[in-house]
Amino acid sequence: LAKTTQPISMDSYEGQEVNITCSHNNIATNDYITWYQQFPSQGPRFIIQGYKTKVTNEVASLFIPADRKSSTLSLPRVSLSDTAVYYCLVGDLGKAAGNKLTFGGGTRVLVKP
Amino acid sequence: EAQVTQNPRYLITVTGKKLTVTCSQNMNHEYMSWYRQDPGLGLRQIYYSMNVEVTDKGDVPEGYKVSRKEKRNFPLILESPSPNQTSLYFCASSHPGGISYEQYFGPGTRLTVT
């Protein structure tokens, strides 16, 4: 899986939009970008996945520029319950790499009242 | 409800006393995996299984064993636990080779070895 770099932590306030940018300069042609969320003492939870341009679901949006060397997870109007660690992962779905997810350090998002 | 369950959720044991952490999923997933999570080291894969009777080592397999006799179950065995295996353990499952990297994680098992 390609190496990713994301901020260690971010603070925000309720109702604001939170944008977390992940750098993945060595992303390969067949790699997809996936984001997971983890609350304390819980297992990671899949949030969103994309290949290029923009993907939106009921939880978040994922923006991927044309060069795909970075991506931005956008959480609209966060609440206190969005306080968690967010992980960016990049990998090739086509390879039989044991479906291994390689988690980096993630970004700790703290939402304040 | 689709889920991955783990038992026990918390376990305190002593060095050398064999233990098993069970993992079960009800989604008919072929792929199952074990991770451990340690502060500053993130999640690291221990073992994975692509299907029944097919298992392989992940990044940190030393000191662990697994078995996959049934599709739904993937127990993690520590034959002789040591203090450096004190960690938070997660089991995960998914359909391999699909169009998504979505894996479903269990609630975690916090293990302390004294």
Side-chain angles (χ1 to χ4, degrees):
Chain A
L1 295 180
K3 180 178 170 57
T4 61
T5 302
Q6 50 184 126
I8 294 175
S9 65
M10 298 179 70
D11 288 357
S12 184
Y13 291 91
E14 283 189 292
Q16 289 189 336
E17 179 181 78
V18 171
N19 295 307
I20 309 171
T21 297
C22 178
S23 296
H24 28 81
N25 291 319
N26 296 322
I27 190 169
T29 302
N30 294 330
D31 285 349
Y32 277 71
I33 300 156
T34 308
W35 286 80
Y36 276 77
Q37 173 193 55
Q38 186 179 25
F39 298 114
S41 297
Q42 292 188 28
R45 182 176 74 105
F46 175 91
I47 300 176
I48 198 167
Q49 180 178 286
Y51 183 80
K52 61 180 179 180
T53 63
K54 177 184 175 182
V55 179
T56 297
N57 62 22
E58 65 278 6
V59 176
S61 294
L62 179 59
F63 298 91
I64 306 168
D67 66 6
R68 303 200 328 121
K69 293 184 182 300
S70 67
S71 59
T72 299
L73 175 72
S74 180
L75 306 172
R77 297 179 299 281
V78 294
S79 63
L80 297 177
S81 62
D82 291 316
T83 292
V85 178
Y86 293 82
Y87 296 95
C88 168
L89 296 87
V90 175
D92 181 357
L93 295 173
K95 292 183 179 178
N99 271 40
K100 180 172 67 176
L101 300 180
T102 300
F103 289 81
T107 298
R108 292 186 177 276
V109 172
L110 173 63
V111 179
K112 303 175 183 178
Chain B
E1 178 189 356
Q3 61 182 350
V4 177
T5 57
Q6 296 178 225
N7 283 292
R9 294 291 312 280
Y10 302 90
L11 179 59
I12 300 174
T13 189
V14 296
T15 299
K17 185 177 181 180
K18 181 180 178 180
L19 66 91
T20 300
V21 183
T22 64
C23 173
S24 183
Q25 50 93 5
N26 62 2
M27 295 167 280
N28 202 36
H29 285 161
E30 293 88 355
Y31 176 86
M32 297 185 75
S33 176
W34 277 102
Y35 294 84
R36 62 177 288 176
Q37 185 170 33
D38 303 289
L41 296 176
L43 283 101
R44 295 176 292 169
Q45 190 184 56
I46 302 170
Y47 268 96
Y48 65 93
S49 169
M50 298 297 283
N51 214 325
V52 175
E53 302 293 359
V54 180
T55 64
D56 210 343
K57 297 177 181 179
D59 294 322
V60 289
E62 293 75 23
Y64 304 95
K65 285 177 56 178
V66 293
S67 68
R68 188 87 182 275
K69 293 183 171 56
E70 304 168 282
K71 197 173 189 179
R72 64 181 293 127
N73 297 322
F74 190 44
L76 179 69
I77 304 158
L78 285 72
E79 294 272 3
S80 181
S82 62
N84 64 13
Q85 292 178 298
T86 292
S87 187
L88 180 58
Y89 292 86
F90 292 102
C91 180
S93 74
S94 70
H95 284 300
I99 61 172
S100 169
Y101 254 166
E102 182 170 5
Q103 291 196 15
Y104 297 82
F105 283 79
T109 294
R110 188 168 292 281
L111 172 65
T112 301
V113 183
T114 62

